[in-house]
Amino acid sequence: MKTIIEPFRIKSVEPIYFTTRKEREAILQNAFYNPFFIHAKDVLIDLLTDSGTNAMSSHQWAGIMEGDESYAGSESFFHFEKTIKDITGMPIVIPTHQGRASEKILFSIIGGKGKYIVSNTLFDTTRANIEFSGAEGIDLLCEEGKLPEVPAPFKGNMNVEALKKTIHEKGAANIPLCVITVTNNSGGGQPVSMQNIREVKEVCRENNIPLFIDACRFAENCYFIKLREKGYENKPVIEIAKELFSYADGCTMSAKKDAIANIGGFLAMHNKELADQCRNLLIITEGFPTYGGLAGRDLEAIAIGLNEVMDEHYLRYRIRSIEYITEKLVAAGVPVMQPAGGHAVYIDAKLFLPHIPVEYYPGQALVGALYIEGGVRGVEIGSLMFGKYDKNKKLIPAQMELVRLAIPRRVYTQSHIDYVTEVIIEVFNKRNDIKGLKIVEEPPMLRHFTAKLKIAGEHTN
Ligand code: F0G
């Protein structure tokens, strides 16, 4: 196989800044071992997230100049609306400033005490918005999705039997929505098969439960379907996307991912009554329904990005580049989630650092070590993000302790990717020196963003 090349050339560049190991040690300590507190200029390769960190194309930048900034009835809104209607087949499109704004609006209306929202896996902001409404989120991931090192083609699938059981236990009337996250971010960026979506839809239909897609990374998911699911190998990604959305009653979207934009989101749906309620909330939280918290130029950039993301040369490069890192890491013995996800590499911190118990946050410890070794910033997706406490303040750990290295779209070159791989392998070779961490301060919700930590005592080593 030939070298993976970027399917673009570079017209505008941005410097990245080098620091010494000694400087990084001090920076990390001052940031309370939390990567969210590190200033971006102190990061060499920033893999904290693929959200809003995308490089826009010259076509999108031209769209930015064309943006119609009218308060009502902006031309850019109609371009945005038409693009989304074409892809999703959904007649109602409501712009928001980002994914979680869509979630907040939706769950304020359909959530509430005594309700259950079922999902393959809810992303953390989705779960937080559900819980904030008083409802409960239930993840029903398929069994193979829970085994990081065991490859399977669609590890993001929902467990259909568990869905039936949950509906039976909780009662369909108490389940106002089923959400399928594509690709399954918190479960390793793993795709969901069309067959699984079809089966889930059937169960939802029988029980009168609407199905929504959390569509952040829909194009990456559709490309995996093309690569891995029988019958889709010769279909264009746009056709696969249309079929995927055809099974849904609505969707939430963060345009900061697969719309290759820097900000934005939307809700789309079929149900007019629900949409009217959403628009009422939109007006008091986001703005008038033809801009919803966005500038006209953002609507334009999103409309263009949504088409660019389905270009198969782009998708092939994106998926292959992430698979390439995973292959190199596997060859070096580094425990990573397999197969590679769509937007990120997930390292299994429990296996990487078996000497650090989960109470001392091995994922967060590994995030710190990667930063010190090479200025690479990743994020923990484990017990710091999802852990809870029992009545005695004892940690109830997350299912997995992962470290995510998310690759921004069209930002880094293949040599940056090689560098990151070298840094991870170097850290792996020195893994026995890494120490666990303790929380010294934390907020009540979404604690990973602002928790402060320190190195735990020698006993964790
Ligand atoms: N759903 C999924 C699957 C996500 O990955 C995200 C964001 C959201 C919803 C919320 O969207 O950020 O626009 O409000 N994920 C980012 C990440 C933050 O780093 O994975 P948002």
Side-chain angles (χ1 to χ4, degrees), residues 36 47-52 96-103 121-126 129 179-186 214-217 252-257 262-265 343 346 379 381 385 404 406 448-449:
F36 288 97
L47 309 182
L48 185 68
T49 178
D50 62 322
S51 178
T96 59
H97 81 273
Q98 65 182 85
R100 71 197 70 182
S102 307
E103 296 160 3
T121 311
L122 297 160
F123 182 65
D124 57 349
T125 59
T126 323
N129 273 304
V179 177
I180 294 194
T181 310
V182 299
T183 56
N184 186 19
N185 185 6
S186 311
D214 176 339
C216 293
R217 299 179 180 83
T252 55
M253 169 87 185
S254 167
K256 301 173 76 173
K257 283 86 170 171
N262 300 121
I263 194 72
H343 65 295
Y346 292 74
V379 71
I381 301 201
M385 188 179 270
R404 184 187 77 173
H448 58 288
F449 287 127

Side-chain angles (χ1 to χ4, degrees), residues 263-444:
I263 194 72
F266 58 84
L267 276 157
M269 63 191 76
H270 289 277
N271 184 330
K272 184 174 173 319
E273 231 172 277
L274 177 61
D276 287 342
Q277 287 177 284
C278 289
R279 285 203 185 99
N280 288 340
L281 267 186
L282 185 83
I283 290 186
I284 55 169
T285 57
E286 296 284 293
F288 189 73
T290 61
Y291 73 85
L294 293 169
R297 53 180 170 269
D298 300 323
L299 296 168
E300 205 62 61
I302 293 166
I304 296 166
L306 282 171
N307 283 314
E308 287 181 356
V309 78
M310 287 185 287
D311 172 67
E312 294 183 22
H313 292 289
Y314 158 75
L315 283 168
R316 186 188 319 143
Y317 137 82
R318 175 148 181 85
I319 301 300
R320 175 64 197 132
S321 158
I322 293 163
E323 190 181 59
Y324 168 91
I325 311 177
T326 306
E327 281 169 8
K328 290 246 155 152
L329 295 179
V330 170
V334 180
V336 289
M337 178 160 248
Q338 292 190 60
H343 65 295
V345 177
Y346 292 74
I347 304 174
D348 187 333
K350 232 189 254 182
L351 291 179
F352 196 109
L353 300 172
H355 60 286
I356 302 182
V358 288
E359 291 78 16
Y360 294 96
Y361 303 105
Q364 192 75 355
L366 179 54
V367 166
L370 293 170
Y371 177 70
I372 289 177
E373 184 63 40
V376 174
R377 173 158 73 169
V379 71
E380 190 252 24
I381 301 201
S383 291
L384 183 65
M385 188 179 270
F386 293 121
K388 298 229 157 113
Y389 293 113
D390 68 10
K391 285 195 286 288
N392 305 318
K393 258 282 201 174
K394 192 172 156 20
L395 179 79
I396 307 168
Q399 242 166 31
M400 296 187 259
E401 303 294 334
L402 302 175
V403 167
R404 184 187 77 173
L405 300 169
I407 314 296
R409 293 170 186 76
R410 306 189 294 209
V411 171
Y412 293 114
T413 63
Q414 197 51 32
S415 53
H416 289 123
I417 295 290
D418 277 324
Y419 170 83
V420 168
T421 312
E422 288 158 18
V423 169
I424 301 168
I425 294 171
E426 193 61 41
V427 171
F428 188 60
N429 293 336
K430 301 179 191 164
R431 62 192 179 278
N432 293 333
D433 300 336
I434 301 172
K435 294 195 168 68
L437 298 167
K438 255 183 168 153
I439 296 178
V440 290
E441 207 183 300
E442 60 181 302

Side-chain angles (χ1 to χ4, degrees), residues 4 7 41 56 64-65 71 74 85 120 129 134 171 228 311 313 315 333 361 386 416 446:
I4 314 154
K41 71 161 190 15
M56 291 207 293
I64 291 269
M65 288 305 294
Y71 190 95
S74 150
K85 278 184 180 174
N120 51 344
N129 273 304
R228 297 179 186 170
D311 172 67
H313 292 289
L315 283 168
Y361 303 105
F386 293 121
H416 289 123
L446 297 177

